Amino acid sequence: MKKDAKKPSKYVARQPDEQGFIQYSDIEHQTWQRLIERQLKVVPGRACDEYLHGLELLDLPHDRIPQLEEVSSVLRRETGWEVARVPALIGFETFFGLLADRKFPVATFIRTPEEFDYLQEPDIFHEIFGHCAMLTNPAFANFTQKYGQLGLNATPKERAYLARLYWFTVEFGLINTADGLRIYGGGILSSPKETLYALGHEPERYDFDALDALRTPTASI
């Protein structure tokens, strides 16, 4: 979920050149490589099959940050979605509008080495590796579009409730499968610690109840 656009960000999204190509530094490409190779070691057997299949379809490069069109071309083919370049932070109106138009917002910056393990703002690795694989799944893609449409027509109070629903599903959702509990939430699947923790013995897990989700405030939204 995007944070309040009024909150300042120390990150600046990269702009494309005249050919639509976004330039990144060698350090930024190396950061992507470290992130993706680390995460690919922990998601097998923990992520749901739909996510893993989507990851195969995306076929993300390991040695460099992918260009947005590379991701969009796969999403368009599979579900009619694409990714949209946005600043580091956007407001609810923009967020819901993009989803309703089958566009997933991606901030075109990557975390610094100093914030390698954790950052509060969603960077390009979180958005693409964490979320875009599930958008190759037709049912999930349609749900996400409907969510955006509901958000566009919601009151400010209703949007707060929708943000909670997003938090407990799209960001941090788990699903029961024939092979056991698996992860589909992008906020978990883009973090090695969260991926291991979510299926461990420490966290308290609850069966999904829409009313419970709507009634539970989250400190990060």
Side-chain angles (χ1 to χ4, degrees):
M1 171 62 65
K2 300 298 179 182
K3 307 298 191 297
D4 188 346
K6 296 178 182 178
K7 182 180 177 182
S9 170
K10 73 175 186 177
Y11 289 100
V12 178
R14 292 297 184 91
Q15 302 293 319
D17 61 20
E18 293 179 356
Q19 286 72 44
F21 190 86
I22 299 175
Q23 299 282 351
Y24 293 98
S25 69
D26 289 342
I27 291 178
E28 289 170 323
H29 287 307
Q30 290 165 13
T31 298
W32 171 274
Q33 182 172 15
R34 290 173 61 201
L35 286 167
I36 194 170
E37 291 182 349
R38 179 176 70 170
Q39 199 60 12
L40 285 172
K41 294 177 181 177
V42 298
V43 295
R46 296 183 175 91
C48 66
D49 288 344
E50 292 81 358
Y51 173 86
L52 294 174
H53 178 61
L55 212 53
E56 288 184 19
L57 292 173
L58 289 175
D59 192 23
L60 298 170
H62 291 197
D63 61 341
R64 61 177 176 81
I65 299 171
Q67 294 295 312
L68 298 188
E69 180 54 31
E70 294 178 88
V71 179
S72 288
S73 64
V74 177
L75 295 181
R76 286 193 206 101
R77 183 190 72 213
E78 298 298 324
T79 59
W81 273 73
E82 59 185 38
V83 292
R85 178 178 56 85
V86 298
L89 299 169
I90 61 175
F92 281 143
E93 189 77 21
T94 302
F95 177 69
F96 287 126
L98 287 170
L99 297 188
D101 198 29
R102 296 180 87 86
K103 295 178 181 178
F104 192 78
V106 173
T108 51
F109 72 87
I110 195 163
R111 68 197 70 181
T112 63
E114 291 74 27
E115 292 189 294
F116 185 77
D117 289 318
Y118 176 78
L119 78 165
Q120 290 187 324
E121 301 165 36
D123 70 348
I124 194 169
F125 180 76
H126 167 81
E127 303 287 39
I128 289 180
F129 188 90
H131 287 294
C132 287
M134 285 300 296
L135 287 171
T136 65
N137 178 270
F140 189 86
N142 290 338
F143 159 77
T144 307
Q145 181 185 29
K146 176 60 69 174
Y147 177 87
Q149 292 169 344
L150 292 172
L152 274 183
N153 296 317
T155 66
K157 183 176 181 179
E158 289 169 339
R159 286 179 178 178
Y161 289 127
L162 284 171
R164 295 175 186 178
L165 181 63
Y166 194 91
W167 189 256
F168 291 114
T169 55
V170 178
E171 287 290 354
F172 291 97
L174 306 176
I175 186 171
N176 280 312
T177 74
D179 297 317
L181 201 61
R182 294 291 185 268
I183 306 165
Y184 73 91
I188 302 177
L189 289 169
S190 58
S191 165
K193 291 182 180 179
E194 293 285 358
T195 300
L196 297 174
Y197 177 79
L199 298 182
H201 298 294
E202 295 180 54
E204 292 185 45
R205 292 181 286 266
Y206 300 90
D207 291 337
F208 178 75
D209 183 284
L211 284 178
D212 284 345
L214 296 174
R215 290 168 176 165
T216 305
T218 60
S220 300
I221 293 178

